[in-house]
Structures are given as C-alpha cells and as structure tokens.
Amino acid sequence: MRAHLRSIGYSPADLAKPIVGVAHSWIGTMPCNYNHRELAEAVQRGVREAGGTPMELNTIAISDVATMGSEGMKTSLVSREVIADSIELVALGHMFDALVTIVGCDKTIPAAAMAHVRLNIPGAIIYSGSIMPGRWADRQVTVASVFEAVGANAAGRLSDDGLRSLEERACPGAGACGGQYTANTMAMVLEFLGLSPLGSAGPPALDSRRTDVAVAAGGLAMRAFREDLRPDRILTRKAFVNAITASAATAGSTNAVLHLLAIAREAGIPLELADFDEISARTPVIADLMPHGRYTAVDLDRAGGSRLIARRLADAGLLHTEQLTVTGRSMGQEAECAVERDGQDVVVPVDRPLEQHGGLAILRGNLAPDGCVVKTAGLRQLSHTGPARVFESEEAAMAAVQSGAINEGDVVVIRYEGPRGGPGMREMLGVTAALVGRDLGRTVALVTDGRFSGATRGLMAGHVSPEAAVGGPIAALAEGDIVTLDVPTRTVRVRLTDEQLRERLRAWRAPESAYRAGVMAKYRALVESASDGAVLRVSP
C-alpha cells in the first residue's frame, strides 16, 4: 500500500500520520459548489498544519435550479443517496481516520450528514457558502425572484425585457441560493445538530473568511480524531430537537423535514412527522428571511449569523444548550460567542417575534392519512376550500397555470410525483412561483405528493403520504372534488366518504413507470415513504 501511494507523491512520513479524507462536490454545472476545489485545498492545508495527511475525493451534485420544472429534477433527491453512498464507500474502503466534507447545493448537505453518521468517524461538515444577492429595480433579488417573474411574464405583468434584465442581475457570483431556501436551511440545521461548527455556514461563498473556515475545519478534524469525537457522541434526540427548532425559528425549507427524518433514521434516533409540528408550534419565527421575509443569508451573516439565532433561542429556554458540538464545546458555549451588529433587524427578540409559531405544520386527514407538510410562514390565509384541479404530472399543471386555466379558489393537485411515483419526488417551485407571479398565490392552494423548494410561498401542501403511486387517497381524486386544507385544525380532506374513496381505489391501477432499468428504476424499487424521509429500504 505504501509503495502504491508513494507513486503519487506520498512520503513515508505522510503515511505514518492520521489519514483525513477531504470530500467535496465540485462540478461545472452550477454556481453552488463552484468554489469546492479551492476550499478543499484550504482544508488540506489545515489538516497538514495540524499533523495529519489529507486525501482528496469528490462526488457528484445535481442542481435543483438547472433541473427545476424538467424531467431532470427527478434525479435531484436520488442524488442524495448516491452522494452519501459514494462518500461512505471511499472512506470505508480507504479506512480514513477522519473526514471533512465540503457541501454546497441542497442534497449534498443531508447526504454528507448521512455518510458521516454511517461511518461514525471523527470529522466535520463545512458549507461552501451562500451566493450574494443581486440587485434589480432597487431591491435585493435571488434566483427565486426569477422563478416568480416567469409567471408574471406569462401573465403580461412583466415585459420580456424586464424578465431578461432580472435574469442578468439575480445571481452575481458563485454560491448556493441566497434566501432561507433549502441549502441555507440545511447548512444551519447541521450547525444546530452539532455536525458543523456553529457560525461556519455564515460567510458567503466568495468572502475571504470562507477560506479561513476551511483551514480551521482541517484542524478541527484532527482535534476530533485525537479526542475520538464521533457523530454518535453528538447526535442525540435533543440535537435533532435543536435542529428542528432552528429551522422553525427561521421559517426554513420544508425539505428539512425530509432530510432530518433521513439523518435520524441513519443515526437510530426516533423522529416522526408529529415532532416537527409540536416543535414548530412552540417556536416563534425570529428571522426575517426570504422567501417569507425581506433579507438574505448574507444579511443574516452580517447581523450576527446562526450564533445570534442560537443565543436568542437559548436565552428563551428553547434550545438544549448542553448538547455537544463538533468543536468539543456545548451548543450553549458556542451561542455565548454571538456578536450582534448594532441596529440590525434581521433577527428579532423572541418576545417580539415576526410570527408566534414556527414555519411548519403537519396536516393529516382522509387525503393524507400519513401526513403532509405545509410551510406556514408568511401565510395570511390559513385555510382554503375549493375544487380540485387534478394533474398527473408537474408539466401538465405548469401548462395549465401558464395558459391561464387556473382560477381563484382552485386547489391544484399534482400527483404521481412522490418518491416512487416520480420517481424522485420533484420540487414544484416552477408551478408555485408561476402562481405567485400570476397573482394567484393568495387565492389558490396546491396539494402534491411531490415536494417544494425552500423558495416556495403560499398555501402549499407537499409530501402527501401515502403517495399516489402506492395507491394513496390522492390517487382517487377526481376533477371538481371539494378539497379543504385547514392549518389551525391540522387537517387536509376531500369531501368524500371513506367508502367512496375505497370504491374509487378498488378500480385504481398503478401506472407503469417509464424507468425500467438503471439508477431511477433501482431507486423506485427501494425508496420508502416521504413520511419516513424517503430513505431506501435495506431489508426485505
């Protein structure tokens, strides 16, 4: 083994030291992970300075933005499993002593956590940073603004030149999407789980502090190795409660539900959909972040970052401050280091919250017996009853929205987009943003067994379980059925009797999948319900 490795430059002294894997997802298809090569160099420098020998590896990534609204979006959630598996395989096969993983776009973050949990070796996960906000029409904009502008353009409310001008200004440089969308939500979630250093996600992708974070991560991995600080010492039930609390307090992406369920499954920690509803109900929203608020992740960093969020929550008794983090310090000790910028209004006091309850709700009823997820932040209308407009795919729904066929009061139903039905559980940002762009965001509801981007706004229920592809009640819906979503009572129902639903389902037949072989077919055969995190079945 030594002879083999000497051929590519490793010396006997190098190979006598602890070997630290440095994993990343550099890829030339998106801005989210575009700085990973440079950050990997910085992490390796930190490992060497701390007395270890780094070995670099890379894996894949799928851009949710580039694939949104297309067949390609079906690959996004599938990539979570492939990324986790590939990191696990290399680290296990090469018997690394520790591991640092650099993450950026949405699925790389939970995938890294899943891999670290499976391997249970010392290390850290480091976010590569948010994109800077663009500026257009004298306001801050993000890529989500472009999605909504597509709907406005189709409705004649924004000119072609206006749309082109926004497109040119929305994304000024590398980094992950700038609001409290899925990437920034999950980066914060990993900090509050304790797998990433608190505050490390804050510096934007192109900020010089990002290199400092990476160098420090290399040293941190070596310290974790020497102290045998493994994920199983960090990840407790209370750590997951902290992570859900942070997501609720910042009105984070509904994808946090899916991914935290999956990470908990890997860690052997009991976690259910009901936990998210309970924790969110007692957690106020204290961060004024897009898409429901005014500010971006960059503004949060300038205001005091995740440490400030943690200190606010800790002072209010909403955080388990004794929980261990990857730095070897407790969550409470890390929160005490928060520095708040004078005059900032991105993070508000807990006793004067933006909203009294957190940004998530779990609804159940005869349409979703196993539950569905609603993002409640910014909602003014918490209940809706209307006729179902039923679509068998996202493309069909999008065509109806863009052609003006959706009316005020409708309930758009998109089915066969669940984990198995898609397969891959596409995000519906194209549809939801187009509704907002056509000024229907407050008067139309949407129900799907697919999922939503963190940038989604409006009364939208995703992750409907059981999904249509396995014969869930959503498969029985017909055009014009009256559907009610009611957040205060946590219910989602169709105005049909149980017998009527059973009768329709007796006549139902599962549609054939277009995927007969390859990775998509394997995923479809193994994936479990969204209510369990859409993890893959590992036993019959």
Side-chain angles (χ1 to χ4, degrees):
M1 291 170 67
R2 287 195 296 272
H4 201 234
L5 288 169
R6 287 185 71 165
S7 71
I8 54 173
Y10 291 98
S11 70
D14 291 332
L15 300 176
K17 298 172 183 177
I19 305 298
V20 180
V22 179
H24 61 84
S25 298
W26 183 91
I27 196 165
T29 59
M30 66 182 83
C32 317
N33 304 359
Y34 209 68
N35 59 345
H36 281 202
R37 283 173 170 169
E38 290 80 7
L39 294 180
E41 288 292 334
V43 171
Q44 290 178 84
R45 185 163 80 245
V47 170
R48 293 188 188 98
E49 290 173 355
T53 296
M55 289 188 177
E56 184 178 0
L57 60 138
N58 64 279
T59 181
I60 65 162
I62 304 290
S63 168
D64 286 14
V65 174
T67 60
M68 193 72 70
S70 74
E71 190 80 0
M73 170 49 80
K74 295 182 178 183
T75 65
S76 175
L77 187 58
V78 178
S79 77
R80 185 187 73 180
E81 312 308 313
V82 176
I83 295 163
D85 289 352
S86 61
I87 295 171
E88 178 190 10
L89 283 169
V90 176
L92 189 64
H94 288 270
M95 298 174 287
F96 293 147
D97 297 301
L99 178 67
V100 177
T101 303
I102 303 165
V103 295
C105 63
D106 298 2
K107 307 311 166 295
T108 64
I109 305 173
M114 292 162 70
H116 279 242
V117 170
R118 293 175 191 172
L119 292 161
N120 199 34
I121 59 176
I125 302 171
I126 301 298
Y127 186 45
S128 54
S130 171
I131 198 170
M132 296 295 290
R135 193 147 195 93
W136 179 79
D138 202 32
R139 62 185 175 93
Q140 287 195 138
V141 291
T142 69
V143 71
S145 309
V146 184
F147 277 100
E148 293 182 1
V150 169
N153 175 259
R157 298 171 58 234
L158 179 67
S159 69
D160 290 349
D161 287 343
L163 179 59
R164 188 177 303 108
S165 173
L166 172 58
E167 175 190 333
E168 291 169 351
R169 292 167 173 78
C171 301
C177 298
Q180 191 67 342
Y181 313 145
T182 302
N184 284 313
T185 297
M186 288 307 302
M188 183 179 291
V189 159
L190 260 58
E191 291 182 322
F192 280 78
L193 275 178
L195 295 177
S196 298
L198 192 65
S200 64
L206 300 183
D207 191 301
S208 61
R209 292 173 297 154
R210 182 52 53 197
T211 300
D212 298 335
V213 168
V215 173
L220 186 62
M222 286 299 299
R223 176 180 170 182
F225 166 74
R226 293 182 177 116
E227 297 179 2
D228 198 31
L229 182 52
R230 301 170 183 265
D232 66 358
R233 291 179 56 193
I234 294 171
L235 294 181
T236 66
R237 164 80 179 180
K238 290 180 178 179
F240 280 89
V241 172
N242 282 348
I244 297 170
T245 300
S247 179
T250 58
S253 169
T254 53
N255 282 312
V257 177
L258 195 72
H259 298 321
L260 278 168
L261 286 169
I263 298 166
R265 174 76 74 89
E266 299 285 2
I269 302 294
L271 194 67
E272 299 178 353
L273 277 177
D275 296 317
F276 291 85
D277 195 68
E278 177 188 340
I279 295 166
S280 185
R282 66 173 185 249
T283 306
V285 176
I286 60 171
D288 193 5
L289 297 172
M290 294 180 179
H292 75 282
R294 297 174 292 165
Y295 295 113
T296 67
V298 175
D299 298 312
L300 174 61
D301 173 57
R302 292 168 178 161
S306 55
R307 287 183 186 275
L308 180 56
I309 298 285
R311 191 174 70 186
R312 289 274 203 272
L313 294 172
D315 289 347
L318 295 171
L319 213 58
H320 294 288
T321 55
E322 76 282 5
Q323 284 301 294
L324 183 64
T325 74
V326 70
T327 65
R329 290 154 55 89
S330 71
M331 180 60 65
Q333 289 172 318
E334 293 292 346
E336 288 173 1
C337 298
V339 177
E340 181 176 359
R341 192 193 72 206
D342 289 344
Q344 70 82 26
D345 61 350
V346 181
V347 182
V348 302
V350 172
D351 60 359
R352 296 195 301 277
L354 299 166
E355 299 190 24
Q356 292 294 329
H357 306 291
L360 294 172
I362 306 300
L363 310 189
R364 297 179 190 271
N366 68 350
L367 194 52
D370 293 342
C372 64
V373 183
V374 172
K375 187 173 184 177
T376 61
L379 286 182
R380 296 295 173 263
Q381 185 174 340
L382 296 176
S383 62
H384 182 100
T385 297
R389 304 295 308 280
V390 181
F391 302 95
E392 312 298 323
S393 70
E394 179 188 4
E395 287 87 351
M398 186 66 171
V401 173
Q402 294 294 70
S403 69
I406 301 301
N407 303 308
E408 290 187 7
D410 285 346
V411 178
V412 175
V413 177
I414 308 175
R415 62 190 178 192
Y416 298 108
E417 293 287 4
R420 184 174 299 181
M425 203 178 182
R426 283 194 283 188
E427 292 183 346
M428 303 294 159
L429 177 60
V431 177
T432 61
L435 287 169
V436 172
R438 296 185 72 92
D439 203 26
L440 291 170
R442 296 180 183 274
T443 59
V444 169
L446 191 149
V447 177
T448 181
D449 52 10
R451 60 195 177 94
F452 298 122
S453 162
T456 290
R457 294 192 287 160
L459 184 51
M460 313 290 174
H463 308 202
V464 168
S465 301
E467 62 174 293
V470 299
I474 192 173
L477 281 183
E479 189 83 3
D481 285 343
I482 302 302
V483 173
T484 295
L485 292 83
D486 190 70
V487 174
T489 62
R490 298 297 195 265
T491 55
V492 54
R493 299 187 59 82
V494 57
R495 198 175 294 170
L496 295 171
T497 66
D498 291 346
E499 180 54 37
Q500 287 174 313
L501 280 171
R502 284 193 294 267
E503 181 65 27
R504 289 188 186 183
L505 289 171
R506 276 193 285 269
W508 171 83
R509 296 293 180 270
E512 288 191 13
S513 174
Y515 298 95
R516 304 294 183 86
V519 64
M520 303 301 284
K522 286 187 284 188
Y523 182 86
R524 186 174 187 274
L526 295 173
V527 71
E528 296 188 353
S529 171
S531 61
D532 290 321
V535 294
L536 300 189
R537 186 171 61 254
V538 294
S539 60

